[in-house]
Amino acid sequence: MATAVKVDGYGFERPEDFDFETYEEFMSRYLSVLVRRAKKWEQLFGSSPLEDHLKRSSKVKRYTRKGIPGDKRALVWMTMSGALARMQANPGVYQRLLEAPTHDDPVIDAIRTDIHRTFPENVFFVDAPEGQRVPLFNVLVAFARRRPDVGYCQGLNFVAGMLLLVVKDEERSFWLLDAFVGGVVPTGYYTPAMTGLRTDTRVLAELVRARWPDVDATMRREGATFDLVATKWFVCAYVDVLPVETLLRIWDSLFYEGAKVVFRVAVTMVARQRARVAAARGLADVVSAFRVAIDDPANTFAHDFMADVFRVPGSFPMATIDKLREQCERAVLEEDR
Amino acid sequence: MAGRGTAQRPNGAGAAGKICQFKLVLLGESAVGKSSLVLRFVKGQFHEYQESTIGAAFLTQTVCLDDLTVKFEIWDTAGQERYHSLAPMYYRGAQAAIVVYDITTQDTFSRAKTWVKELQRQASPNIVIALAGNKADLANGRMVEFDEAQAYSEENGLLFMETSAKTAMNVNDIFLAIAKKLPKNDQAGGGAVGQGGSGSRRLDEGGAGSQGSTGKCCK
């Protein structure tokens, strides 16, 4: 067995029970995938500026689904999500958002509370001047000020933290967060009523019901809803839920194709544990089955995982999602009355 | 990330005899130490900086009372106000709740009182509520007096303890106190309307009878 590396490439300390064997097996195959993909992207784009090429096309979509090379990831995310356009259209805005004092503001106090509680097991999230805690605070404060309708929602700390780890630039991470909340995911995910989030967990239930009535039947019988088991999947877009390499692949497509990808991943995870969920007895058993869905060693194999994500759930027309959203949102609003 | 699996400490395994299962929910303002109390109780660990809980985490732990084994199914919830709309899902059908505040912040005590009111109004009528004044190790920064919280608890029929997830003070004790107070016979059953399908029940019945057995317990 290779020497056990205690920290992964993104600074996350590996837990004591980290499965090095599975990881080694994954990496030995994944490295050749990464090399092949890097070559493909080079061939596709040659030496001219990447952004000139990033027009929406089936080819770029296919390339994105197979993974964006690490050195191009930040730029591709910025371009595809519209974050770059937002940044270029708003010069100096980020800096100005940070000018006002940060005391006596309950929103900022809430952010401050969570800074030390974001990736405490990551070596980059430290108080040292080069650490990511100050950038994280700045990004979240600037965002809360740009979007007072959202302010700060717990979970955004993980999204912003992950962006910082990948993009390694405060202002760019801010614009990516702005594009993420303001365009990539549906409205109302992070607002105080969380209507959009609660709508989407119900949409997921409908998507599952249409595919696997046995899973739906068990969940109904045991009183298990997807907002009970999958809120974090949606709020964090799988940060701190799935392994980092897999997460980044999900985000590659998320920034290109939008929130539909979040459903594809969720449906795939349910599919993989279908038998276990369907056979569950009691709420605790259902919850444990979803725990297994998260801890499944197979999730480490990012390339296979993503192949499943675009195959297993079958066709995913946006019209269906939109229709389900409309229907589920009505139910959520009804519940709030 | 909170809620990684479950763990059983030695005290949970041995005792033969009756096994009771209860749903318990932790509520309280953000960063008062809900996850830390659970982590201390379930795994005997403490992290100075505990990750913010998103949505909720689910863990289980058992305690022994004489010849009785009590298994807690614990829902550890997110503290931020906007996650409030999800809270009823977690306390619905719960037989016990721990409402947590931080003794160094008055606001968290007010928030705790609001939670207690909500539980009294909306949770199962027989729910056992415990109030935990956490971070008792930070007594130098105390803003909530012990007597005040105790008086409030007496008025409202709550169990009350000051706790410290950091030093482990009163952590097992508060769960034990709840276990003792929970009704463990058919007549005195929790009366939970089990919309969550999660009443207390005998474990040796497997899950087969979980639905409809809410509010009952060991026979």
Side-chain angles (χ1 to χ4, degrees), chain A residues 268-284:
Chain A
T268 305
M269 297 221 292
V270 176
R272 289 177 160 202
Q273 302 302 329
R274 176 192 167 182
R276 194 185 291 266
V277 179
R281 290 287 176 271
L283 181 63

Side-chain angles (χ1 to χ4, degrees), chain A residues 113-114 116-117 120-121 150 152-155 157 190 192 194 221-222 225 227-228 232 235 240 284 287 291, chain B residues 1 3-4 30-31 49-52 54-55 58 73 75 80 82-83 85-86 89-90 195-196 207 210-211:
Chain A
T113 302
D114 274 355
H116 288 78
R117 312 202 306 147
E121 77 293 10
V150 174
Y152 172 65
C153 175
Q154 283 189 322
N157 53 327
Y190 303 99
M194 299 185 107
R221 187 187 68 226
E222 304 300 351
T225 55
D227 36 13
L228 209 62
K232 186 166 181 176
V235 171
D240 209 36
V287 176
R291 192 70 235 169
Chain B
M1 179 166 147
R4 274 201 185 111
S30 182
Y49 297 115
Q50 175 70 34
E51 265 192 7
S52 341
I54 310 301
F58 178 81
E73 295 183 350
W75 284 101
Q80 196 182 18
R82 68 189 67 189
Y83 285 92
S85 61
L86 300 176
M89 242 174 11
Y90 300 107
Q195 287 182 50
S210 70
Q211 185 67 359

Side-chain angles (χ1 to χ4, degrees), chain A residues 5 65 118 120 135 141 158 170 204 213 240 254 274 321 325 331:
Chain A
V5 184
R65 284 185 172 192
T118 307
V141 167
F158 293 111
E170 206 179 297
L204 174 58
D240 209 36
L254 183 61
R274 176 192 167 182
I321 304 265
R325 273 200 178 124

Side-chain angles (χ1 to χ4, degrees), chain A residues 30-294:
Chain A
Y30 198 47
L31 283 176
S32 64
V33 172
L34 292 178
V35 171
R36 201 165 61 237
R37 297 320 303 169
K39 228 182 261 170
K40 287 268 188 185
W41 280 75
E42 290 300 331
Q43 278 165 9
L44 177 62
F45 299 128
S47 52
S48 56
L50 188 59
E51 48 272 53
D52 295 350
H53 293 278
L54 291 178
K55 311 221 161 43
R56 294 191 168 266
S57 71
S58 57
K59 189 167 193 179
V60 174
K61 181 169 162 181
R62 200 172 70 240
Y63 270 50
T64 309
R65 284 185 172 192
K66 289 186 175 176
I68 302 166
D71 62 332
K72 298 187 171 58
R73 186 163 264 145
L75 183 56
V76 179
W77 286 2
M78 288 289 292
T79 311
M80 296 299 189
S81 65
L84 192 65
R86 285 171 191 241
M87 185 167 92
Q88 284 164 348
N90 294 282
V93 163
Y94 178 67
Q95 291 71 16
R96 280 200 295 280
L97 285 167
L98 291 174
E99 276 166 10
T102 55
H103 50 78
D104 291 336
D105 179 336
V107 175
I108 292 170
D109 288 343
I111 293 171
R112 198 175 278 119
T113 302
D114 274 355
I115 296 302
H116 288 78
R117 312 202 306 147
T118 307
F119 302 144
E121 77 293 10
N122 188 295
V123 297
F124 297 117
F125 279 82
V126 289
D127 282 329
E130 70 280 11
Q132 293 292 357
R133 279 184 181 158
V134 172
L136 177 65
F137 178 75
N138 290 344
V139 168
L140 292 173
V141 167
F143 178 78
R145 287 173 174 167
R146 182 167 162 86
R147 289 293 302 271
D149 58 320
V150 174
Y152 172 65
C153 175
Q154 283 189 322
L156 289 178
N157 53 327
F158 293 111
V159 174
M162 199 64 221
L163 288 170
L164 281 164
L165 287 173
V166 174
V167 179
K168 300 184 183 75
D169 179 280
E170 206 179 297
E171 185 175 2
R172 284 171 174 259
S173 298
F174 164 77
W175 287 108
L176 267 172
L177 182 66
D178 187 55
F180 178 84
V181 177
V184 175
V185 301
T187 51
Y189 256 50
Y190 303 99
T191 48
M194 299 185 107
T195 312
L197 172 80
R198 289 153 62 215
T199 297
D200 274 8
T201 50
R202 280 166 177 77
V203 170
L204 174 58
E206 293 300 323
L207 293 170
V208 168
R209 185 154 71 118
R211 285 166 175 78
W212 306 290
D214 54 342
V215 170
D216 178 66
T218 301
M219 290 185 69
R220 276 170 199 274
R221 187 187 68 226
E222 304 300 351
T225 55
F226 278 99
D227 36 13
L228 209 62
V229 291
T231 290
K232 186 166 181 176
W233 302 4
F234 286 84
V235 171
C236 295
Y238 301 103
V239 183
D240 209 36
V241 174
L242 289 173
V244 178
E245 295 292 348
T246 308
L247 170 80
L248 295 177
R249 290 288 302 275
I250 293 169
W251 280 23
D252 286 348
S253 286
L254 183 61
F255 281 120
Y256 186 90
E257 298 180 42
K260 205 160 86 163
V261 176
V262 174
F263 288 118
R264 280 192 167 278
V265 173
V267 169
T268 305
M269 297 221 292
V270 176
R272 289 177 160 202
Q273 302 302 329
R274 176 192 167 182
R276 194 185 291 266
V277 179
R281 290 287 176 271
L283 181 63
D285 219 16
V286 177
V287 176
S288 306
F290 280 97
R291 192 70 235 169
V292 174
I294 293 169

Side-chain angles (χ1 to χ4, degrees), chain B:
Chain B
M1 179 166 147
R4 274 201 185 111
T6 59
Q8 282 203 336
R9 281 181 300 166
N11 74 337
K18 290 189 289 186
I19 302 176
C20 278
Q21 187 161 315
F22 295 103
K23 177 178 172 184
L24 179 148
V25 61
L26 278 101
L27 299 164
E29 181 63 89
S30 182
V32 294
K34 297 178 293 300
S35 302
S36 293
L37 285 170
V38 176
L39 187 69
R40 172 61 78 187
F41 175 58
V42 173
K43 297 187 179 169
Q45 297 173 355
F46 176 78
H47 301 148
E48 190 67 39
Y49 297 115
Q50 175 70 34
E51 265 192 7
S52 341
T53 303
I54 310 301
F58 178 81
L59 295 95
T60 59
Q61 175 63 300
T62 50
V63 295
C64 286
L65 288 175
D66 304 320
D67 67 332
L68 182 70
T69 303
V70 173
K71 181 180 180 189
F72 284 114
E73 295 183 350
I74 303 165
W75 284 101
D76 169 27
T77 64
Q80 196 182 18
E81 175 58 29
R82 68 189 67 189
Y83 285 92
H84 191 158
S85 61
L86 300 176
M89 242 174 11
Y90 300 107
Y91 64 65
R92 193 180 296 147
Q95 287 92 0
I98 303 182
V99 178
V100 187
Y101 68 93
D102 167 358
I103 66 154
T104 70
T105 320
Q106 186 68 44
D107 285 352
T108 66
F109 184 53
S110 314
R111 186 77 189 92
K113 291 184 189 168
T114 315
W115 276 120
V116 170
K117 247 181 243 151
E118 180 167 337
L119 287 172
Q120 288 169 338
R121 227 181 20 245
Q122 314 221 34
S124 314
N126 297 326
I127 190 169
V128 172
I129 306 173
L131 182 68
N134 194 38
K135 307 197 188 182
D137 53 290
L138 302 177
N140 287 341
R142 175 188 291 281
M143 299 296 283
V144 183
E145 289 309 321
F146 182 93
D147 293 344
E148 183 190 355
Q150 194 173 41
Y152 168 77
S153 299
E154 272 167 25
E155 273 165 43
N156 287 274
L158 318 176
L159 288 166
F160 169 63
M161 283 184 198
E162 285 196 348
T163 58
S164 166
K166 188 172 184 171
T167 67
M169 177 187 125
N170 279 346
V171 176
N172 284 350
D173 311 59
I174 197 162
F175 282 91
L176 264 174
I178 292 167
K180 280 181 190 151
K181 200 172 166 184
L182 281 163
K184 296 171 202 69
N185 54 63
D186 281 330
Q187 288 71 31
V193 182
Q195 287 182 50
S198 59
S200 56
R201 59 187 152 87
R202 285 186 69 134
L203 286 180
D204 57 7
E205 285 174 350
S210 70
Q211 185 67 359
S213 67
T214 49
K216 284 185 239 151
C217 189
C218 317
K219 293 167 192 160

